[in-house]
Amino acid sequence: MAKVKLDWFKLDCQNDDKLDLIEAEFGLIGFAVVVKLWQKIYGSEGYYCEWNEDVALVFAKKNGVGANAVSEIIQAAIR
């Protein structure tokens, strides 16, 4: 069986403008949510993860962030 998830992913020392914009809008919480989401994505299927209200709620709880904040940060990242 082929390996699906990644053991690690590259995180540049310099943020690009998109991540800087998330951090400007949401502070370090925004940055952390995006990185934690990358960990979830790359650590599960490698390039995507299931995302629905239940998954979002558990993700928020595990990361100590409100579900509304997670939703806002993800919507901003999608934009």
Side-chain angles (χ1 to χ4, degrees):
M1 182 171 184
K3 184 175 180 176
V4 177
K5 68 179 187 170
L6 303 177
D7 294 324
W8 64 276
F9 64 94
K10 179 181 171 188
L11 182 61
D12 291 334
C13 292
Q14 299 293 320
N15 293 340
D16 64 9
D17 290 343
K18 296 172 190 173
L19 194 51
D20 279 342
L21 187 57
I22 295 293
E23 192 172 335
E25 187 172 350
F26 299 99
L28 288 175
I29 298 295
F31 175 85
V33 165
V34 170
V35 172
K36 287 292 201 176
L37 184 58
W38 288 339
Q39 288 178 318
K40 180 168 182 55
I41 292 167
Y42 297 137
S44 60
E45 298 299 323
Y47 65 97
Y48 76 96
C49 69
E50 180 180 345
W51 196 259
N52 57 42
E53 288 184 30
D54 292 341
V55 173
L57 189 59
V58 170
F59 178 88
K61 182 186 180 304
K62 281 184 177 179
N63 292 291
V65 181
N68 289 338
V70 169
S71 179
E72 288 178 29
I73 293 165
I74 291 174
Q75 288 301 316
I78 290 170
R79 279 195 317 266

